[in-house]
Amino acid sequence: MSKKYLKFLFKTFSSVLVVYAVVCAFIYIVFPIMMIAPEHMESVDYVSTFAGSVVPFFVVGAIPLILHNRYYTKNSSDIYLSLPISRRQAFITENGFALIGILAITTVMYLIGGFTTMAFAIAARKELLSPISDILEVLPLLLIATTVVYLISMVAVSFSNSQAEARSMVFYLHIIPVLLYYIVLIVTKAKLKSWTNLMFYAPGSYVSAIASYNHYYGLEDITKYFFNDYGFNLLVLAINLVFWLAVGYVALLQFEKLKSEHLGTTQMETLGAKNFFVVAAFLGYVYLGLLLGTTLDSGSIDEILLPIYFIVFLGSVIVYWITTFGMRKKIRFLKEDLIRFAIAVIPSQIIGIIIFYVFIR
């Protein structure tokens, strides 16, 4: 890390971390205390009061977009790319500063919230369902999940040449594992009901990170959230962390190759937004294939499912081409776009039909 650049970041970027601190304060401190206040509440479970909230994760996912935005305009990029530090130093200093700040804020707010909730519960003579041991054991899961979310967005913005492409890339890199995750979930629930934990192995999944973080509590009895699979969840989060750290190194190499003349454009690169959009569309059309398989297997083909399928299909095609034209910044059907569309639509639905008949039917 560069100490001088680190001091500069403290001056220019601390306000973003302050906003994150305010969000964490509300989620981890204010909200649990508010849950204690009602007189009809006889008990309080600190962890379960915020376990379903993804607001802090959304803020964490947006921070790399704000941090990296300095490289997306010509004047600003010329200044930062000409600083007397290497690209590698700049990358490590920026993301190290942001991630360490995020993890420090999360830890402090979480622990303050835990101890404060315990104190209020004792003062109000209400039963505390989450002892300090459980509260402390959840913290590593929370910190690793937070790190994974940050790394995914960091990778996305490092692969991008413009602010618009960065926003798209952040969405695609988060949504692709989500789509993959639920495909795995559908299959495991249909055929491997006693092994549904396999669904958390969706590679590098944003949802698998948060799902593993939330998996320790059950919806049937929210007060008994801590199961014996803590080690399993920790392992899956660790796998996610290693995976995204490795991809993060690729992002560093990509950042080192950043060219000023490409800024403000969407490049037709292997790691560009267009190709990731096709991957996301492919996985999305797998679900349409599942719907088509259900339609073909149903006795009500002409009544409900078939019209629904065609409406969804037509709508998805319109969205696909609007997105393509938006990235191209021109309304024109190019040969490579038609090839990408064919790849995204046809094989994916065939795979969806196969999954339906092999695993679900």
Side-chain angles (χ1 to χ4, degrees), residues 45 48 129 189 193 196 214-227:
D45 186 335
S48 69
L129 301 177
K189 275 199 168 183
K193 294 181 180 179
T196 52
N214 283 287
H215 186 54
Y216 52 78
Y217 71 86
L219 296 178
E220 295 180 0
D221 187 351
I222 199 68
T223 65
K224 296 180 180 178
Y225 56 80
F226 206 72
F227 293 145

Side-chain angles (χ1 to χ4, degrees), residues 126-235:
K126 297 184 178 182
E127 182 183 5
L128 185 67
L129 301 177
S130 48
I132 188 62
S133 59
D134 284 6
I135 292 174
L136 293 177
E137 282 185 310
V138 169
L139 182 57
L141 302 178
L142 174 61
L143 293 179
I144 298 176
T146 300
T147 303
V148 170
V149 172
Y150 180 88
L151 290 175
I152 293 176
S153 289
M154 180 196 76
V155 168
V157 299
S158 300
F159 287 172
S160 306
N161 291 319
S162 67
Q163 189 179 57
E165 185 179 20
R167 289 195 297 265
S168 299
M169 284 291 288
V170 168
F171 176 76
Y172 298 145
L173 278 190
H174 283 300
I175 197 65
I176 286 172
V178 171
L179 295 171
L180 180 59
Y181 164 83
Y182 280 108
I183 291 173
V184 176
L185 175 61
I186 289 170
V187 172
T188 54
K189 275 199 168 183
K191 289 296 182 181
L192 303 170
K193 294 181 180 179
S194 62
W195 292 92
T196 52
N197 279 337
L198 289 174
M199 67 188 180
F200 296 113
Y201 279 124
S205 174
Y206 170 53
V207 166
S208 73
I210 295 181
S212 295
Y213 160 59
N214 283 287
H215 186 54
Y216 52 78
Y217 71 86
L219 296 178
E220 295 180 0
D221 187 351
I222 199 68
T223 65
K224 296 180 180 178
Y225 56 80
F226 206 72
F227 293 145
N228 293 326
D229 55 1
Y230 176 84
F232 176 83
N233 293 325
L234 190 60
L235 173 63

Side-chain angles (χ1 to χ4, degrees), residues 257-274:
K257 296 187 295 183
L258 181 65
K259 295 181 179 179
S260 182
E261 60 267 25
H262 288 169
L263 295 174
T265 65
T266 301
Q267 295 298 308
M268 291 300 294
E269 299 172 348
T270 304
L271 299 176
K274 291 185 177 67

Side-chain angles (χ1 to χ4, degrees), residues 73-340:
T73 58
K74 180 65 176 174
N75 292 337
S76 178
S77 66
D78 286 341
I79 294 173
Y80 285 100
L81 293 177
S82 62
L83 290 174
I85 56 174
S86 67
R87 297 276 186 91
R88 183 171 295 238
Q89 277 186 309
F91 183 91
I92 294 174
T93 303
E94 289 171 1
N95 291 293
F97 167 75
L99 186 55
I100 291 172
I102 288 168
L103 295 180
I105 290 169
T106 303
T107 301
V108 170
M109 294 300 177
Y110 176 84
L111 292 178
I112 291 175
F115 286 110
T116 304
T117 303
M118 288 179 63
F120 271 86
I122 293 172
R125 296 182 179 180
K126 297 184 178 182
E127 182 183 5
L128 185 67
L129 301 177
S130 48
I132 188 62
S133 59
D134 284 6
I135 292 174
L136 293 177
E137 282 185 310
V138 169
L139 182 57
L141 302 178
L142 174 61
L143 293 179
I144 298 176
T146 300
T147 303
V148 170
V149 172
Y150 180 88
L151 290 175
I152 293 176
S153 289
M154 180 196 76
V155 168
V157 299
S158 300
F159 287 172
S160 306
N161 291 319
S162 67
Q163 189 179 57
E165 185 179 20
R167 289 195 297 265
S168 299
M169 284 291 288
V170 168
F171 176 76
Y172 298 145
L173 278 190
H174 283 300
I175 197 65
I176 286 172
V178 171
L179 295 171
L180 180 59
Y181 164 83
Y182 280 108
I183 291 173
V184 176
L185 175 61
I186 289 170
V187 172
T188 54
K189 275 199 168 183
K191 289 296 182 181
L192 303 170
K193 294 181 180 179
S194 62
W195 292 92
T196 52
N197 279 337
L198 289 174
M199 67 188 180
F200 296 113
Y201 279 124
S205 174
Y206 170 53
V207 166
S208 73
I210 295 181
S212 295
Y213 160 59
N214 283 287
H215 186 54
Y216 52 78
Y217 71 86
L219 296 178
E220 295 180 0
D221 187 351
I222 199 68
T223 65
K224 296 180 180 178
Y225 56 80
F226 206 72
F227 293 145
N228 293 326
D229 55 1
Y230 176 84
F232 176 83
N233 293 325
L234 190 60
L235 173 63
V236 174
L237 282 168
I239 293 172
N240 272 265
L241 181 60
V242 171
F243 176 88
W244 284 105
L245 282 172
V247 181
Y249 179 72
V250 178
L252 168 60
L253 299 179
Q254 189 74 8
F255 178 75
E256 289 180 323
K257 296 187 295 183
L258 181 65
K259 295 181 179 179
S260 182
E261 60 267 25
H262 288 169
L263 295 174
T265 65
T266 301
Q267 295 298 308
M268 291 300 294
E269 299 172 348
T270 304
L271 299 176
K274 291 185 177 67
N275 288 336
F276 281 98
F277 167 64
V278 172
V279 174
F282 181 95
L283 292 173
Y285 277 108
V286 169
Y287 290 91
L288 265 183
L290 291 172
L291 176 58
L292 182 57
T294 304
T295 302
L296 296 175
D297 193 60
S298 173
S300 57
I301 289 181
D302 298 325
E303 298 176 8
I304 301 175
L305 293 180
L306 192 60
I308 290 176
Y309 168 80
F310 278 113
I311 290 172
V312 174
F313 179 80
L314 180 61
S316 68
V317 170
I318 294 173
V319 171
Y320 183 99
W321 284 106
I322 289 176
T323 304
T324 299
F325 295 150
M327 287 190 291
R328 283 271 184 206
K329 297 182 179 179
K330 65 172 78 172
I331 301 177
R332 184 180 178 186
F333 292 93
L334 300 179
K335 180 179 179 180
E336 54 266 35
D337 291 335
L338 293 171
I339 293 174
R340 285 186 172 87

